[in-house]
Amino acid sequence: MVAVVNQNVINQCVVSQLGIGFRPELARFIESRDDIAFVEIIAEDYSHLECIPQALRDLQERGVTIIPHCLSLSLGGADSIDLGRVKHLNSLARYFDSPFVSDHVAFVRAGNLESGHLLPVKRSEATLQIIAENITTVKEHLSVPLVLENIATTFQWPDNEMGEVEFVSRVLEDSDCGLLLDLSNLFASSHNLGFDALEYLRALPLQRLKYVHMAGGIFKDKLYHDSHGHPLNHQSIALLTALKALCPVARVMLERDDNFPADGELTCELGAIANA
Amino acid sequence: MNPFEIQGPTYLLVYFAICGIAFMLSKALKAYLLRDPNGTSPAQISSIARSLQPYEAAYLSGGSERVFLAACAALSRHNLVEVSRGSRKLYRKLEDNTGQFKDLEYVEQALLVHLSKNGESISTSRAKVNNAVAGIVTVLENYGLKPTTDQLRLIRFIIPLFYASVVLFFSLPKCALAAQLHLPFTFLLIESIIALAITVKLFRPEGEITAKGAAVNEALRQENSALKLTHSTNPDGLSLRDSALAYGLFGAMAIGDPFNDAHYALRGQNAAGSTGSGSSCGSGTSCGSSCGGGCGGGCGG
Amino acid sequence: MPEDARKQIAQEQKLLLQALLAHGNTPDGFDNKRLKQAAQALVRKRVRSMKRANALVTELLDSDLSKLAVLHRFIELHPSANAAGPYADTCDFLAFLQEESGLIHKIANINRSVRFIIGQCKLSLLTKALFWF
């Protein structure tokens, strides 16, 4: 009983800001919600500042925080960092006066091949060093802090020298970056790779947590795919509840990239996140 | 007979300048007649904008033709009406068995009642919608967004009359004299005909809105930029009301709906689309669609 | 970090991408089945991203399912996505479609329609500018 009370006290004390991934398809829905405190934009969607839609500027005027989120820096890649992408990310951060920007602990290109998606890196000391060097390069061209996100994956490299959580923690410590914790990615990877998501949570340097991603996915061929096009699953919400018991969660947001549902379904999902 | 003693090409230039000045004066007079005498505050403008219904906003944005397009396109988008590009006919897709049509806007009801499953022509359907917009016009007049009958009379007759008088006063006597003296006057005649064509354009049959109406229209477009964005990317996710408002305010092209059947069919006569960009690579823009993925996984069945 | 070590990892990542995107051999130690599933997922994501990035691609694919096969052939022949993003990828695909599938006229018609509409809009704007300003 005491434990339950403590849990409730923690939840009541920590009021998370609610956010959502800004997509043109959701602009009308987002505009209609007064409780959205921040939105995250995909940096690659706005290749020039002139491309920023009026709806986004309206949100900024309303006081909604806008966080640029990048998919293509390839921080885990052994190829050199494309500084043009970093500068573009920084220009968005300056335009929106964003508190920070984010990308992933992943790679997306190698040689002349572009995957179009986030792929896991080999968890080794050598990779840690590459990522640290890449992040140092990126930070030199950023005027705001960089926050790093864990990815979802269906496979892993052989001969990994350390576990997923140790690797992510080392990246964060080595580069002194904030954490963007994607709980749905965590659930997907824990299911697909067979590790305990709660243990992962407890082992993370949660004092670095800046915000949390939540998204829906789908089971297919015994794997869980973090599709962002399906309803939020209860496992991710349970992880959010567990996380809130471990540390203050300043910001939580919903991501939806496909199969955009009716407003009612999104409202339910945001409610579930807010009340987790 | 030549008061300024100006000859040939010089007179053509002077005449062109006179027409230009007369045009500007006509425009100034028109703007004066359509001004907002009370100087409505931005807050009041915004309040009026929010109180308008979708088809009232559509009329404000593009007259009765825009209302017709909005009704056709929105009902078509929600599978209540089918628009045939080829035959340019409108078909009702559902019978009103459950009384659901009662919840629709008056314009939509008028259109649906008129239509049958065998199809009706666009012209008769347009006429039905035109009849149904009378109530909308009254609402807009009451708000001061549309000119009153007296204002309209002045705009439609007095201003063009003034402009035509100037145009003819400086060209007819000169042409007549030139004809008597067997001098060339073709260019002057062409110039005056063009000027008169402009006069005809000044007799716009409808679509006039006051300065206050223009301000409300602009406020509506500003406040619904998110609707425009969502309609251009996820039109099926919007309610019928929002669809009608989007089509009504922005037209089919501006909300990235160039393939809309209604737009195609109606394009034959007075297409109501306004502006926008196509989606082909030829447009040369990389705005808005450089990334289509997000960071979600590549599954989804 | 020594340049050799970076090159070594770059090579490993390149081999993995070749396996995932270009039917390369599965690198030693990887779970072959998982990589195949991941490769399929990457194709699905690429198709979805392209459809979302360009309305014309969606229109083409929705109006004729056979064009989906052309899109998959395009991906087979162009395993790397365009680094500039899905929109640039769709432009590559449309060029490929025009060249490869014999649908030049259809594409041209659609492009003409779009250009015609844009032209009309520009004309309308010009007219407005002329008469009202």
Side-chain angles (χ1 to χ4, degrees), chain C residues 35-109:
Chain C
L35 283 200
K36 289 268 186 293
Q37 288 171 316
Q40 289 166 359
L42 286 176
V43 170
R44 280 195 293 270
K45 166 138 188 185
R46 190 168 166 196
V47 172
R48 203 179 61 214
S49 298
M50 288 169 75
K51 285 178 74 171
R52 202 173 153 233
N54 193 331
L56 183 57
V57 172
T58 311
E59 169 73 8
L60 284 169
L61 297 181
D62 288 352
S63 63
D64 184 355
L65 282 177
S66 70
K67 292 189 188 70
L68 194 58
V70 181
L71 176 56
H72 281 282
R73 199 161 74 247
F74 166 77
I75 291 172
E76 282 281 324
L77 295 171
H78 302 82
S80 175
N82 192 313
Y87 182 78
D89 220 10
T90 64
C91 294
D92 294 343
F93 166 61
L94 291 174
F96 175 83
L97 192 61
Q98 281 182 317
E99 287 174 13
E100 293 287 314
S101 66
L103 295 167
I104 295 169
H105 297 304
K106 175 74 176 171
I107 297 284
N109 283 341

Side-chain angles (χ1 to χ4, degrees), chain B residues 263-282:
Chain B
H263 181 263
Y264 256 91
L266 269 57
R267 196 156 52 88
Q269 295 172 31
N270 304 325
S274 56
T275 182
S277 64
S279 313
S280 69
C281 294

Side-chain angles (χ1 to χ4, degrees), chain B residues 105-240:
Chain B
E105 297 281 339
Y106 179 67
V107 169
E108 294 162 348
Q109 286 184 32
L111 184 60
L112 284 169
V113 167
H114 165 68
L115 296 180
S116 68
K117 287 204 166 183
N118 296 326
E120 297 291 341
S121 73
I122 283 182
S123 54
T124 61
S125 305
R126 179 184 277 119
K128 283 288 172 188
V129 167
N130 285 348
N131 292 339
V133 300
I136 292 174
V137 173
T138 307
V139 170
L140 296 181
E141 280 180 356
N142 288 342
Y143 275 122
L145 309 180
K146 207 179 172 308
T148 61
T149 313
D150 287 342
Q151 282 175 311
L152 271 181
R153 195 175 297 129
L154 283 169
I155 292 164
R156 288 179 186 171
F157 296 104
I158 304 298
I159 294 176
L161 199 62
F162 160 74
Y163 183 69
S165 304
V166 173
V167 165
L168 295 175
F169 178 79
F170 285 95
S171 69
L172 274 188
K174 180 87 176 168
C175 287
L177 189 64
Q180 277 180 8
L181 300 175
H182 301 290
L183 293 170
F185 61 96
T186 314
F187 286 114
L188 181 62
L189 195 63
I190 291 171
E191 219 174 317
S192 52
I193 288 170
I194 291 171
L196 284 174
I198 294 173
T199 314
V200 173
K201 184 69 184 173
L202 285 175
F203 284 98
R204 286 189 67 194
E206 66 159 324
E208 295 289 1
I209 55 174
T210 60
K212 188 178 174 184
V216 169
N217 190 32
E218 185 55 31
L220 273 166
R221 294 168 77 91
Q222 289 284 333
E223 287 175 12
N224 286 287
S225 58
L227 171 66
K228 181 180 177 184
L229 191 60
T230 294
H231 202 295
S232 65
T233 49
N234 184 28
D236 294 332
L238 292 172
S239 65
L240 179 62

